[in-house]
Amino acid sequence: MRKIIFLDFDGVLNTEYYQGLLQFQGKQWQDEHGAFFDPRAVRQLKRVIDTTGADIVVESSWKYLGLEAMQELWRVRNLPGRVIDITPSLTNNKNKGEGIAAWLSEYATPDARYVIIDDEYVALDAQIPFFIWTNPYEGLTEDHADRAISILHRWL
């Protein structure tokens, strides 16, 4: 059974707290791939992936750099899991939830389980049970990771 994490970056892995801390300490806050991710949030993502075996589909605006760039970012930064795809870019001002629905319609099997993790309210009504809404200051927390694991392990 396939398990998917639809993952946003800004406000989930790239937190306002961590960016502020790096800047306050006078440290570099980004590289050629973009802003550095908060290690606390990355640890929680790793826990979700290690526990569930889920793969990642990027639904972040970073996806506009392309799938290869996202996979390179994952490799260079030694991030957890596997980025297998990005959601489609839809026209007519459609939101991220519709991009996720389009991806699921195209690639997911009926028994696939998924979770959406974003700091913006992006879920369509049918996606609400699978949606985790983060605070952009703290990003992906232990509680969010616990919920993601629970969603990916149960059948609703």
Side-chain angles (χ1 to χ4, degrees), residues 5-16 33 35-38 41 45 56-63 65 69-71 73-74 77 79 83 85-86 96 117-119 134 136 139-140:
I5 300 168
F6 289 97
L7 187 63
D8 182 37
F9 294 170
D10 297 327
V12 176
L13 298 179
N14 172 25
T15 66
E16 292 174 8
H33 299 286
F36 291 135
F37 295 158
D38 187 328
L45 177 63
I56 298 166
V57 174
V58 177
E59 56 98 349
S60 170
S61 61
W62 291 41
K63 74 181 183 180
L65 298 171
M70 296 299 92
Q71 291 171 330
L73 166 72
W74 239 247
R77 292 189 181 175
L79 294 166
V83 172
D85 207 352
I86 57 178
K96 288 180 177 181
I117 307 173
D118 203 306
D119 70 317
T134 66
L140 184 61

Side-chain angles (χ1 to χ4, degrees), residues 11-39:
V12 176
L13 298 179
N14 172 25
T15 66
E16 292 174 8
Y17 166 80
Y18 190 63
Q19 288 303 308
L21 178 65
L22 291 175
Q23 291 177 23
F24 176 77
Q25 294 175 341
K27 294 182 178 177
Q28 183 177 352
W29 60 275
Q30 67 177 354
D31 62 13
E32 66 275 8
H33 299 286
F36 291 135
F37 295 158
D38 187 328

